[in-house]
Amino acid sequence: MGGKHQFVFRPLFVKHNYILQVKPSNVLWFVLAVLAGLAIISAVFPDKGIEINKNTTLYFPSIADILSSKNKNSDAKDSVLAEIIESNKDVFNDTLADIIEPEKEYIDSTLLNFKAKPVKAGTIKQLLELPNNNLECLKKIFDALSSGNELQKTIRILHYGDSQIETDRITGYLRAQIQAQFGGSGPGLVPAKTAYDYKSPVGIKNSENWKRYTIFPKTDTAVKHYRYGALASFCMFTQPRKPAQKNNAAPTNIIDSLATEDTTVVTALINSATNAITPENKKLPEIHNASLKFEYPQYSRANTRNVKQCKMYYGNCKENFLVKVFDGETMLFSDSVKASEYYSIKKWNFETAPQNLRMEFSATESPEIYCFAMDGRSGVAVDNVALRGCSGTIFTQMNSEFLKNMYSDMNVKLAILQFGGNTVPYLTKESVKNYKSMFSAQLRLLRRIRPDMSIIVIGPADMSTKVADEYQTYEVLPDVVEAMRQAAFANGCAFWDMYSAMGGENSMPSWVFNEPALAEKDFVHFTPNGANIMAKMFYSALIGRYNEYLNKK
């Protein structure tokens, strides 16, 4: 202890009591021999690897792979991306929040001289493809956008998609651009309870008794029907009950329903909060209370905050219920809302857009709340319906008559279906045909129940999987894109190829490793900047066809 210890390190092989010193020349020859062996293995090892089992494949890098640190064709893909960025760099950092004008009101005086005008479109890199190159499939939405009478009402565009559109990605840019050009405001359709706690243009805080019921990824056995509506879900603050109405027919008076007279239950809710006793000395049913608060985060765009009208789509309740609507601590409305065995709509108009909207409910049983439509009073509403993990094959699982009536009441003129990505890791070239058939069935259903609606299908973006030490496009992805294109055309729908728009095969790594990053390191999802670029390219393609339609019209 305390003394100095000197350690000398040299290459040694220790065996029993013998110490062998290795000469440097021997080490060199050993290393060269190992490298030679690896070179031989590299030369004879199959390029596609050796499959051990279904989920495991052994790879060995070739000499060319070792000497190159980039993916194949990376220079070409980087060049394509550079061109895309140069023509779309204005969308970086979400600058749209500062340029949106207030909602346009299409009043009678403007209709006298209303004339549709072409809209400036950006560079169109990827065309919006049409069946037989015929614009007829977009007539419904383009007629509505070019009509002052239609814009005096609220036109609705439903954007369905998987997790690629969560947090309002792509939809937010579309909404801002479309509303700036054609009028309208608000975030569109909002559920009473969100599926996941992710960023959204409208944050929702619920009392703890709210529960969400969905058709996807699985249905709750407590729900005894398939009436889920436009968001493929509904929310309640009491347990669900079996619907009394056995047929699909909708009542005629479902718009803006209001109780004309209070039932015993509603009278009790208004006049007594202390569990009062009826004249017959019977105890009143239990009263359930619930609340919702809608909040705008700092990053939400100006057009999103400008809500002039809120419609509540609700149903499957046998008793009237109370709703109080507040802006902060100021109560704006206190309404007895009429019971509805099917579904009804309760509407509130606001003189000034509330920035701290809150609702309080009191009921003996919760209605099913299908959604809140938070819009302007005219122009275009654009909805983000993100269904994480969904392949877009849910529509045939829902009550089609119910969905038909809701689409009609919402005046849906365009449905955008952006799916396919969730199928890519699991399909084979043979099973792609089955997906095409299933997806085609969804389009047939939507065309049948809402012939007054155009449909645009958006295929998946490039997605990478790691093969050996390289990120490569999933082998089946181009087949999925082509299957969705064929399904769209066969059903009279337009198609936009997002895979080709971003550069095609093996383009995703360039988006991931760009500065700033345009895609996440899962090699699947876009960052906000990347999503804005894709949204601008799609919007330009859509407006390009709109201008073409106006010229022919």
Side-chain angles (χ1 to χ4, degrees):
M1 297 200 40
K4 284 190 174 181
H5 298 275
Q6 186 175 13
F7 297 92
V8 178
F9 295 94
R10 59 171 62 95
L12 297 176
F13 288 105
V14 180
K15 182 178 180 182
H16 299 297
N17 294 324
Y18 298 98
I19 298 178
L20 301 177
Q21 185 170 355
V22 180
K23 296 179 179 179
S25 58
N26 292 338
V27 174
L28 176 61
W29 284 113
F30 174 77
V31 171
L32 292 175
V34 170
L35 292 175
L38 294 175
I40 293 172
I41 296 173
S42 177
V44 301
F45 208 90
D47 291 338
K48 294 184 178 180
I50 298 175
E51 185 175 332
I52 304 300
N53 55 48
K54 185 177 180 180
N55 299 315
T56 306
T57 302
L58 284 179
Y59 292 95
F60 198 90
S62 67
I63 295 176
D65 291 335
I66 295 171
L67 295 177
S68 174
S69 61
K70 285 190 171 185
N71 276 10
K72 296 175 181 177
N73 302 320
S74 61
D75 289 338
K77 297 303 176 185
D78 289 347
S79 176
V80 170
L81 180 57
E83 293 178 10
I84 292 173
I85 292 173
E86 181 60 30
S87 59
N88 297 281
K89 59 185 178 182
D90 59 307
V91 304
F92 276 38
N93 301 318
D94 211 13
T95 55
L96 279 171
D98 302 322
I99 66 172
I100 299 305
E101 300 174 359
E103 174 198 2
K104 295 178 182 178
E105 295 283 0
Y106 287 86
I107 57 177
D108 290 342
S109 60
T110 65
L111 296 181
L112 294 175
N113 299 307
F114 183 90
K115 182 179 180 181
K117 297 179 180 179
V119 179
K120 183 179 179 180
T123 302
I124 301 174
K125 180 182 183 299
Q126 186 67 32
L127 285 173
L128 182 59
E129 302 173 41
L130 311 173
N132 300 318
N133 202 30
N134 192 330
L135 284 163
E136 184 68 21
C137 66
L138 296 172
K139 185 178 188 302
K140 303 301 182 184
I141 180 60
F142 289 166
D143 275 352
L145 291 178
S146 58
S147 166
N149 288 318
E150 286 289 339
L151 291 172
Q152 194 175 17
K153 302 177 288 186
T154 299
I155 299 166
R156 188 164 298 280
I157 296 175
L158 277 165
H159 185 190
Y160 289 101
D162 49 31
S163 57
Q164 190 67 274
I165 69 168
E166 279 184 357
T167 70
D168 216 29
R169 281 178 298 196
I170 299 179
T171 313
Y173 182 95
L174 291 177
R175 183 188 302 114
Q177 289 284 27
I178 289 172
Q179 290 181 345
Q181 179 60 45
F182 299 99
S185 61
L189 299 184
V190 176
K193 183 178 176 65
T194 55
Y196 304 100
D197 187 21
Y198 52 69
K199 290 182 178 180
S200 175
V202 180
I204 304 169
K205 288 188 176 180
N206 314 79
S207 55
E208 294 182 355
N209 51 345
W210 284 95
K211 186 175 180 181
R212 184 171 178 269
Y213 299 89
T214 63
I215 192 70
F216 174 86
K218 62 179 180 179
T219 57
D220 194 308
T221 55
V223 179
K224 304 300 181 183
H225 64 79
Y226 296 93
R227 298 182 340 200
Y228 288 85
L231 297 189
S233 66
F234 63 84
C235 302
M236 298 183 70
F237 53 85
T238 63
Q239 292 297 312
R241 71 181 182 92
K242 187 176 181 180
Q245 186 168 318
K246 294 183 180 180
N247 58 53
N248 286 325
T252 57
N253 58 337
I254 64 174
I255 302 298
D256 196 18
S257 62
L258 180 67
T260 55
E261 59 181 58
D262 292 331
T263 64
T264 302
V265 173
V266 174
T267 302
L269 290 170
I270 295 174
N271 298 327
S272 175
T274 58
N275 212 18
I277 304 299
T278 65
E280 292 80 13
N281 204 31
K282 294 181 180 180
K283 192 174 182 180
L284 289 173
E286 181 182 0
I287 298 169
H288 300 273
N289 299 306
S291 64
L292 296 173
K293 187 177 181 181
F294 303 89
E295 297 180 332
Y296 298 105
Q298 290 183 348
Y299 62 83
S300 63
R301 294 181 170 100
N303 63 310
T304 301
R305 297 169 179 262
N306 190 20
V307 175
K308 294 295 185 66
Q309 183 181 91
C310 178
K311 290 182 179 179
M312 177 177 68
Y313 289 76
Y314 72 95
N316 196 22
C317 58
K318 63 181 181 180
E319 299 288 352
N320 295 8
F321 58 98
L322 288 182
V323 181
K324 294 180 180 180
V325 181
F326 298 82
D327 185 5
E329 298 303 318
T330 303
M331 186 167 68
L332 304 178
F333 304 95
S334 180
D335 294 326
S336 169
V337 183
K338 188 177 180 179
S340 174
E341 296 275 346
Y342 191 69
Y343 91 85
S344 292
I345 305 168
K346 174 64 185 139
K347 180 172 67 177
W348 295 281
N349 287 320
F350 308 113
E351 291 185 11
T352 303
Q355 297 302 301
N356 296 284
L357 186 63
R358 177 167 56 90
M359 295 184 181
E360 294 182 356
F361 296 78
S362 296
T364 56
E365 66 170 8
S366 171
E368 293 176 354
I369 305 293
Y370 305 106
C371 61
F372 296 93
M374 302 177 68
D375 306 316
R377 287 188 286 267
S378 62
V380 187
V382 183
D383 313 305
N384 177 275
V385 189
L387 302 166
R388 184 184 295 186
C390 185
S391 61
T393 57
I394 60 168
F395 300 97
T396 53
Q397 301 176 44
M398 295 189 285
N399 184 307
S400 59
E401 193 69 18
F402 191 76
L403 194 60
K404 171 185 176 180
N405 290 320
M406 193 170 286
Y407 280 172
S408 177
D409 290 326
M410 289 179 170
N411 196 27
V412 180
K413 292 296 183 182
L414 172 63
I416 302 171
L417 274 60
Q418 183 177 332
F419 292 105
N422 287 298
T423 69
V424 169
Y426 311 105
L427 292 179
T428 63
K429 287 184 175 292
E430 292 73 24
S431 60
V432 167
K433 295 179 181 179
N434 294 331
Y435 176 64
K436 174 186 173 183
S437 177
M438 293 172 64
F439 190 74
S440 187
Q442 314 306 308
L443 301 178
R444 283 197 303 274
L445 171 74
L446 294 175
R447 287 292 306 275
R448 177 174 61 82
I449 67 173
R450 183 62 177 162
D452 201 29
M453 174 179 77
S454 300
I455 300 174
I456 297 174
V457 175
I458 299 181
D462 187 31
M463 298 167 55
S464 301
T465 182
K466 199 166 188 180
V467 179
D469 62 342
E470 185 175 86
Y471 290 100
Q472 296 182 8
T473 296
Y474 280 89
E475 184 180 3
V476 78
L477 195 151
D479 298 285
V480 173
V481 172
E482 182 57 30
M484 295 181 72
R485 175 186 284 108
Q486 292 178 13
F489 289 172
N491 291 281
C493 306
F495 180 78
W496 195 65
D497 188 349
M498 185 161 56
Y499 169 68
S500 295
M502 65 182 295
E505 185 179 11
N506 295 332
S507 58
M508 180 57 80
S510 294
W511 287 63
V512 172
F513 297 122
N514 186 72
E515 291 292 341
L518 301 178
E520 305 288 355
K521 290 188 177 179
D522 61 5
F523 291 81
V524 174
H525 297 96
F526 296 116
T527 63
N529 281 332
N532 284 345
I533 287 178
M534 296 308 303
K536 183 182 177 183
M537 287 198 286
F538 171 71
Y539 177 76
S540 296
L542 176 65
I543 293 303
R545 291 300 190 185
Y546 173 74
N547 290 339
E548 183 181 338
Y549 183 78
L550 290 185
N551 291 334
K552 290 186 176 181
K553 186 178 179 181

